[in-house]
Amino acid sequence: EDKVVQSPLSLVVHEGDTVTLNCSYEVTNFRSLLWYKQEKKAPTFLFMLTSSGIEKKSGRLSSILDKKELFSILNITATQTGDSAVYLCAPLVDWGKLQFGAGTQVVVTP
Amino acid sequence: DTAVSQTPKYLVTQMGNDKSIKCEQNLGHDTMYWYKQDSKKFLKIMFSYNNKELIINETVPNRFSPKSPDKAHLNLHINSLELGDSAVYFCASSQGFQGGYTFGSGTRLTVV
């Protein structure tokens, strides 16, 4: 059975801190790994990672994939209150299906 | 301007009723999906359609019936609603099967 485990489940940090979110996966027919941010409503796309070891960056967010060890990391540096959200990891398998993890709830306090 | 729009945003209904949720996308995508997010916040795929053809049909009670009249629309009809159907239902679309979905804002269904 496919498994996607995110850790930690939740964390609270102060503005300016750096956070590291983890995602490990065991899925059949892995294609790539996606990260999404979910605030109150719809998840919004952050990154798609297909190759191991190549860091993707967008502003203060960055992510990397290790296809040998089956995990991915999402980093957020110099956190701001607007980064408060649930961050979802989702391996992409066959036919466009995303296998979502339970998410990591990040709360950034002023 | 909305890329993926769902209606209604909120739906409160009694057990046993039949209800529909509509989804439309104006992105020109050829693939559309329904996902269910339960109270534990897990997002799980229910159905997907590519060019109006059913591609994914997960283990979902047959009370749930999707319909795709064209590439831009994917509706979800639910018969004989049960308490356990209470959840947020998200529609999404993508071009092909490469991920990178765009999600709608969700429909919060509450069955009482």
Side-chain angles (χ1 to χ4, degrees):
Chain A
E1 189 180 327
D2 290 351
K3 198 161 66 169
V4 182
V5 178
Q6 292 188 244
S7 63
L9 287 181
S10 65
L11 72 163
V12 180
V13 299
H14 293 293
E15 268 191 316
D17 288 351
T18 294
V19 300
T20 298
L21 309 181
N22 303 294
C23 174
S24 67
Y25 62 91
E26 291 176 37
V27 299
T28 307
N29 298 325
F30 175 86
R31 307 282 184 190
S32 57
L33 189 134
L34 286 81
W35 284 95
Y36 281 83
K37 176 182 181 182
Q38 187 174 24
E39 296 173 86
K40 293 199 174 165
K41 292 215 170 169
T44 53
F45 173 74
L46 294 175
F47 296 110
M48 180 189 287
L49 304 156
T50 306
S51 303
S52 275
I54 299 173
E55 187 181 45
K56 289 217 170 177
K57 281 191 168 187
S58 176
R60 295 174 295 100
L61 276 68
S62 64
S63 185
I64 198 161
L65 174 67
D66 185 327
K67 286 165 74 173
K68 185 179 174 189
E69 300 297 329
L70 307 182
F71 76 87
S72 177
I73 285 172
L74 175 70
N75 282 315
I76 311 172
T77 58
T79 51
Q80 301 171 356
T81 55
D83 295 326
S84 296
V86 174
Y87 291 84
L88 297 163
C89 159
L92 175 72
V93 296
D94 284 341
W95 304 112
K97 177 179 172 181
L98 287 174
Q99 296 274 58
F100 283 91
T104 294
Q105 169 102 52
V106 175
V107 175
V108 182
T109 60
Chain B
D1 249 337
T2 307
V4 181
S5 59
Q6 296 179 227
T7 52
K9 293 192 185 317
Y10 299 96
L11 190 50
V12 181
T13 188
Q14 291 188 323
M15 278 174 54
N17 283 350
D18 302 340
K19 289 292 177 187
S20 291
I21 307 172
K22 295 187 174 183
C23 179
E24 176 181 4
Q25 55 95 3
N26 63 6
L27 297 166
H29 288 165
D30 60 4
T31 307
M32 295 184 74
Y33 310 82
W34 279 110
Y35 275 76
K36 178 181 179 180
Q37 189 168 42
D38 60 22
S39 56
K40 293 183 181 176
K41 304 297 184 187
F42 269 102
L43 266 164
K44 286 191 176 174
I45 194 165
M46 300 172 71
F47 304 102
S48 76
Y49 273 75
N50 173 266
N51 286 313
K52 302 195 298 174
E53 185 180 343
L54 179 65
I55 301 296
I56 293 174
N57 183 351
E58 291 286 288
T59 311
V60 175
N62 58 16
R63 298 181 295 103
F64 290 79
S65 52
K67 277 193 174 47
S68 181
D70 55 58
K71 283 196 316 182
H73 295 84
L74 179 60
N75 304 322
L76 183 65
H77 188 76
I78 316 169
N79 289 328
S80 305
L81 278 153
E82 300 178 358
L83 293 176
D85 298 331
S86 295
V88 180
Y89 292 84
F90 285 99
C91 176
S93 71
S94 68
Q95 184 56 34
F97 302 124
Q98 303 309 309
Y101 299 175
T102 300
F103 280 89
S105 57
T107 296
R108 182 174 293 278
L109 171 66
T110 304
V111 183
V112 297

